C-alpha cells in the first residue's frame, strides 16, 4: 500500500552515506536548492537514497561528496525548488 508523506516516519529512507565509496564522483548533474522557495518540508531529506542531505534549521544542505545526482530530491520536492544542473554550470 502506498503511504502518503505524512504517514512516513520522520527519518531518511537511508541513514548511512556510502562513506566507503565517494558516490559524488559519479555525478554529472547536481541539485541546486532555491532557498527563497524552499518550504522546509523535509521531503527531499527523507527521500535521498544516499543520506546526502542534512537539515540545518530545517533547510536542506546537500553534501556533494555523496550526492550522486540521481534527481530524486528534485522529483519529489512539492515546491519544485530543486533544479538539476550540469556540473560546472552553476
Ligand atoms: S540528487 Fe538529491 S536525492 Fe539524489 S543523491 Fe543527490 S541529494 Fe540525494
Ligand atoms: S522538498 Fe523542496 S521544499 Fe521541501 S525541504 Fe526539500 S527543497 Fe525545501
Amino acid at each position: 500500500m502506498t503511504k502518503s508523506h505524512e504517514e512516513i516516519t520522520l527519518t531518511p529512507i537511508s541513514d548511512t552515506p556510502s562513506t566507503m565509496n565517494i558516490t559524488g564522483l559519479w555525478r554529472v548533474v547536481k541539485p541546486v536548492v532555491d532557498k527563497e522557495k524552499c518550504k522546509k518540508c523535509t521531503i527531499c531529506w527523507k527521500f535521498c537514497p544516499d543520506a546526502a542531505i542534512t537539515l540545518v534549521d530545517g533547510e536542506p544542505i546537500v553534501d556533494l561528496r555523496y550526492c550522486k545526482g540521481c534527481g530524486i530530491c528534485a522529483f519529489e520536492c512539492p515546491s519544485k525548488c530543486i533544479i538539476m544542473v550540469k556540473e560546472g554550470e552553476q
Side-chain angles (χ1 to χ4, degrees), residues 16-29 48-52 63-70:
T16 307
S18 304
T19 50
M20 301 302 287
N21 183 14
I22 306 296
T23 51
L25 296 174
W26 307 349
R27 196 180 55 248
V28 292
V29 290
C48 176
D50 210 1
D63 187 336
L64 293 175
R65 293 173 301 170
Y66 301 108
C67 165
K68 60 175 71 69
C70 67

Side-chain angles (χ1 to χ4, degrees), residues 30-32 44 47 53 70-85:
K30 65 181 179 183
V32 175
C44 57
F47 278 89
I53 299 175
C70 67
I72 291 173
C73 54
F75 180 82
E76 296 292 344
C77 174
S79 302
K80 297 301 171 205
C81 59
I82 302 177
I83 59 169
M84 302 301 293
V85 300

